[in-house]
Amino acid sequence: MYRDRNIRDPVAKQRAATFLGMTLTSPIAVAAGPAATDTHCPYCSLQCGMRLGGPTADAPVAVLERPDFPVNRGALCGKGRSAPALLARDVRLTGPLLRDRPGGPLRAAGWPEALDRVAAGLARTRAAYGPDAVGVFGGGGLTNEKAYLLGKFARVVLGTANIDYNGRFCMSSAAAAHRRAFGLDRGLPFPLADLPHTGCLILVGGNPAETMPPAVRYLRELRENGGTLIVVDPRRTRTAELADLHLQPRPGGDLALALGLLHLVIADGLVDEEFVAARTTGFDGARASAMAHWPDRVERITGVPAHQLREAARLFGTARTGIVLTARGPEQHSKGTDTVGAWIDLCLATGNAGRPYSGYGCLTGQGNGQGGREHGQKADQLPGYRSIEDPAARAHVAAVWGVDPLTIPGPGKSAYELLDGLGRPDGVRALLLAGSNPAVSAPDAGHVTERLRALDLLVVADLVLSETAALADVVLPVTQWAEEDGTTTNLEGRVILRRRALDPPEGVRSELWVLRELAARLGVPDGFPTEAEQAFDELRRASAGGDADYAGISYARIAAEDGVFWPCPAEDHPGTRRLFLDRFATPDGRARFAAVTHRPAAEEPDDAYPLYLTTGRVLSQYQSGAQTRRVAELNAAAPGPYVELHPRLAERLGIADGEPVAVTSRRGRAVAPARITDGIRPDTVFMPFHWAGAGRANSLTNPALDPVSRMPEFKLCAVRVEPAHQEASR
Ligand code: SF4
């Protein structure tokens, strides 16, 4: 559908901003005093700059405007504005908790007792079953310093191969496709500020109007500059409302859709032959795949009318430059890597890569989704985005760590495989988990919760008693954003600095301190700094020469330059805002076409489960909701789960708006109120995934894995939907 593009009026802009839950003016009208601290939001990958002052009557710090930070220019969404609420003592953990017997209650304990219990349990499991029976599960919200030392702790102290993190569930398919095509993966290979200057932007399966509202400014400016915005999403989201053209495929249709667009670009003579010849390899294979995806066939697969396909191909193929951005919609599938590969092929065929204002990028999700996967908490990687199987990489990192390269374990299990094996004879039996809540956020979460319960020892480091922490044998309360220094890397590859603005409550410690204490108890007294800048300086050395080279980035430079883009191999290097302008990072310098074909999802609807379920986020909650569900303002705006369904489907099933409906898949069941909207396809229902309990969307989702990225198929499974009362009476 086409949308009115007249949004130049400042009043209309402010209305739009209010609609999107963001602010374009000072978040809190408190003057910045001498103690004001420049830092960043604790939540999503935009990593909005904010200034902290205060205290206020309600919170120990106030969020102030920081208009000079270029990414968000002072704008924050409601999550960022309300983040100080998480610092209050009554919503968080303020001392360690221990469970003395399985099924018994958690009780308060001191740090020495808690750390002794953890160290003894890890050592006992390792001695009895070997090092790979001990596992580590990290998170994409951890700072670079924490992620780096968590990886070092797993490999050097525990000697286990089994470390992975929840970022595997986030953008691993995009990372795998990016690397396959370009030889290097960075979420965006260009700054966000490039978006308004492209001719045509296709946004596939992303909803920044709800997930990162300040980024909507870039889409608005694109259209004000005369560019075209195409949004691909099975739902008419708030972002799709802003688009010139909204393509609404059925879930799982994105791969065929991309191939259909490539088919039309080729058929219409819109291939950039010169670029293809000079800077790519493998076009013949991609052309052969695309030619098998003619418009009528793609319409049958995706449900997108052929005339809309033709219009999208024309808009993208004739634009002066084009950008494709993907988010979780096309990525969280058992064919996610190939799907992203198909969209990259469309970019390559049209000459939209390695040139200003063009290319492919991924909107990463978590606050440090980018940096968290670069420095060693992923099962197959060492710091600097190095392969753990590369002898030269192992030797370099071993030298920084002061260990024999042969002692560094090989690749371990991916996130879901690690969780699925918990408590099994050949799996992990003692798990240290930090910054993640898989009891809510993992696919087939009911099964994962059972596996967590089967562990001999579960240790959770978190700031709140999340659903996963509530299952633990030991809970360690740790510091959060405003209470610690540390770096994160935003979706642009910009390394930024969070600054400590206040002391944590007594009884709360940083993860760096926890790792140092545990390492010492396990016989490694050195090599685990507790000062973040010291850890970062070691990370710089470990990353030097790697793909994600941070060697030239220092805390002082980050503060002075509003962040530094990696790779930055030397202190006199300016950082790399745009990748691939001269050559791609492949051995021959050419980008590689993926040449993929459409295939169905691991589970398609059938007679027993006739509908698609897709899941996603809402404006006022974040990820598993462990933090945002504890913020009254956010909870009031988004108090619980719901099931979105089309009026025709609701009528056919006899479901009224607001009525409790039961959604059942082959793995589980969830109940939540119906929300009837014509913004969704009649063959699809949608649930947000931020809640535990009866409305837990991930009770339903399918853990079928992508063969390359090991990404589970979060975004599509087959379900049955019925009124909850009807299901109960059967
Ligand atoms: Fe925080 Fe993301 Fe909101 Fe910015 S958009 S304030 S980083 S949650």
Side-chain angles (χ1 to χ4, degrees):
M1 94 202 48
Y2 285 87
R3 294 280 153 194
D4 178 9
R5 55 170 59 214
N6 179 20
I7 47 173
R8 293 175 194 175
D9 168 26
V11 176
K13 275 185 197 170
Q14 186 63 56
R15 275 201 208 108
T18 305
F19 166 71
L20 296 170
M22 56 188 279
T23 177
L24 298 179
T25 55
S26 181
I28 293 180
V30 178
T37 304
D38 283 350
T39 191
H40 296 267
C41 173
Y43 296 114
C44 86
S45 66
L46 204 55
Q47 285 296 282
C48 292
M50 59 170 63
R51 188 160 292 152
L52 298 181
T56 70
D58 302 324
V61 291
V63 173
L64 311 175
E65 189 180 3
R66 187 184 168 191
D68 52 328
F69 186 67
V71 173
N72 60 308
R73 292 187 213 155
L76 297 168
C77 76
K79 296 186 285 284
R81 278 202 315 270
S82 62
L86 282 173
L87 299 164
R89 294 182 62 90
D90 57 346
V91 300
R92 65 185 298 183
L93 296 162
T94 54
L97 301 173
L98 292 184
R99 196 184 308 277
D100 291 322
R101 57 182 167 76
L106 286 166
R107 66 166 172 85
W111 275 100
E113 183 186 14
L115 292 167
D116 287 347
R117 175 85 70 93
V118 174
L122 295 174
R124 193 165 49 242
T125 300
R126 189 174 57 176
Y129 304 105
D132 286 346
V134 180
V136 176
F137 199 91
L142 300 178
T143 60
N144 290 320
E145 292 80 357
K146 293 178 187 178
Y148 169 74
L149 286 177
L150 202 60
K152 182 178 179 183
F153 181 83
R155 275 87 181 217
V156 173
V157 178
L158 301 177
T160 181
N162 286 324
I163 172 169
D164 213 60
Y165 78 126
N166 65 13
R168 178 80 70 170
F169 298 159
C170 195
M171 61 280 140
S172 58
S173 291
H178 216 142
R179 186 165 279 266
R180 190 163 71 181
F182 304 119
L184 177 67
D185 154 50
R186 195 178 83 185
L188 299 182
F190 40 70
L192 278 165
D194 279 9
L195 297 184
H197 304 291
T198 196
C200 181
L201 171 60
I202 304 181
L203 174 58
V204 191
N207 185 14
E210 296 212 50
T211 57
M212 50 177 72
V216 170
R217 167 169 64 88
Y218 297 102
L219 306 183
R220 199 172 58 233
E221 289 174 359
L222 162 78
R223 297 182 72 240
E224 288 169 352
N225 290 342
T228 304
L229 175 64
I230 301 172
V231 170
V232 180
D233 200 301
R235 301 167 62 223
R236 193 175 67 239
T237 62
R238 291 179 180 186
T239 308
E241 296 271 7
L242 303 171
D244 297 282
L245 178 61
H246 174 206
L247 306 181
Q248 201 167 3
R250 55 177 64 95
D254 296 319
L255 174 49
L257 189 65
L259 289 166
L261 295 180
L262 181 56
H263 176 107
L264 287 162
V265 161
I266 294 169
D268 293 347
L270 297 174
V271 171
D272 186 335
E273 305 281 359
E274 201 177 316
F275 177 89
V276 167
R279 299 202 60 186
T280 72
T281 58
F283 179 59
D284 288 348
R287 177 168 45 203
S289 295
M291 294 327 283
H293 293 79
W294 55 92
D296 290 348
R297 181 181 178 213
V298 172
E299 178 174 337
R300 281 197 299 279
I301 295 171
T302 65
V304 176
H307 71 89
Q308 286 192 353
L309 285 171
R310 290 195 174 89
E311 183 62 357
R314 185 190 64 78
L315 288 169
F316 192 73
T318 59
R320 63 183 184 283
T321 57
I323 287 175
V324 172
L325 300 178
T326 65
R328 303 303 80 75
E331 299 166 12
Q332 290 181 319
H333 290 270
S334 61
K335 57 184 171 188
T337 304
D338 281 356
T339 301
V340 175
W343 287 101
I344 292 175
D345 282 1
L346 179 68
C347 289
L348 294 178
T350 50
N352 284 306
R355 291 170 165 173
Y357 313 123
S358 72
Y360 162 76
C362 157
L363 296 177
T364 57
Q366 297 186 77
N368 197 28
Q370 182 63 47
R373 71 182 190 257
E374 295 166 358
H375 297 297
Q377 61 174 339
K378 193 157 175 265
D380 54 356
Q381 285 180 354
L382 289 173
Y385 236 149
R386 289 181 157 94
S387 166
I388 203 166
E389 297 181 276
D390 173 4
R394 294 169 64 87
H396 173 87
V397 174
V400 174
W401 288 350
V403 301
D404 182 339
L406 294 175
T407 65
I408 297 177
K413 295 176 180 169
S414 73
Y416 182 76
E417 291 161 302
L418 191 157
L419 294 172
D420 183 42
L422 295 179
R424 300 188 196 277
D426 59 346
V428 164
R429 307 177 77 119
L431 183 70
L432 173 61
L433 184 144
S436 188
N437 187 15
V440 178
S441 62
D444 196 2
H447 170 69
V448 166
T449 301
E450 280 174 28
R451 298 322 313 159
L452 288 164
R453 289 186 201 280
L455 283 163
D456 296 341
L457 175 69
L458 174 60
V459 182
V460 174
D462 209 329
L463 38 138
V464 296
L465 191 68
S466 69
E467 286 73 14
T468 306
L471 301 172
D473 302 290
V474 184
V475 183
L476 304 175
V478 289
T479 49
Q480 52 175 309
W481 59 292
E483 298 162 349
E484 57 191 19
D485 291 337
T487 61
T488 60
T489 306
N490 84 346
L491 74 170
E492 307 168 286
R494 183 195 301 256
V495 184
I496 52 104
L497 182 58
R498 288 188 190 160
R499 280 297 196 189
R500 177 180 172 127
L502 76 167
D503 293 335
E506 199 183 336
V508 172
R509 302 284 187 274
S510 76
E511 276 109 330
L512 302 189
W513 182 87
V514 169
L515 291 174
R516 200 270 309 269
E517 292 294 314
L518 289 176
R521 282 168 169 78
L522 290 163
V524 184
D526 300 316
F528 286 86
T530 56
E531 289 300 321
E533 189 167 4
Q534 214 181 332
F536 187 75
D537 285 342
E538 185 181 312
L539 178 162
R540 292 168 62 188
R541 284 186 278 119
S543 75
D547 284 346
D549 191 333
Y550 282 40
I553 305 175
S554 65
Y555 275 25
R557 276 194 68 179
I558 298 172
E561 299 174 30
D562 285 330
V564 181
F565 290 78
W566 70 258
C568 181
E571 290 191 1
D572 60 357
H573 187 284
T576 311
R577 293 172 72 83
R578 295 186 184 87
L579 293 168
F580 313 137
L581 293 183
D582 300 323
R583 69 191 306 277
F584 297 101
T586 53
D588 63 3
R590 290 165 175 261
R592 298 177 285 228
F593 279 91
V596 294
T597 56
H598 168 72
R599 62 179 186 270
E603 183 181 79
E604 291 283 349
D606 55 20
D607 288 348
Y609 300 94
L611 295 166
Y612 292 101
L613 169 74
T614 193
T615 65
R617 287 167 53 186
V618 300
L619 176 65
S620 297
Q621 297 286 353
Y622 180 71
Q623 304 298 62
S624 78
Q627 296 167 64
T628 48
R629 283 186 271 120
R630 287 170 165 82
V631 177
E633 173 187 337
L634 299 177
N635 241 4
Y642 55 87
V643 181
E644 201 173 275
L645 65 173
H646 192 275
R648 289 210 298 275
L649 177 64
E651 186 180 3
R652 181 160 64 76
L653 298 175
I655 292 171
D657 196 45
E659 180 182 355
V661 295
V663 184
T664 309
S665 77
R666 289 185 173 82
R667 291 151 295 280
R669 170 181 182 273
V671 177
R675 187 174 290 186
I676 297 176
T677 167
D678 65 3
I680 192 165
R681 296 176 53 92
D683 56 6
T684 302
V685 296
F686 166 83
M687 288 187 75
F689 58 68
H690 307 291
W691 289 273
R696 182 175 62 183
N698 277 317
S699 298
L700 306 162
T701 48
N702 188 355
L705 299 180
D706 180 288
V708 180
S709 66
R710 317 306 286 165
M711 165 73 84
E713 193 145 76
F714 283 101
K715 275 292 180 282
L716 188 169
C717 71
V719 294
R720 184 174 70 236
V721 176
E722 54 206 320
H725 68 84
Q726 182 177 314
E727 187 225 24
S729 64
R730 269 195 298 118

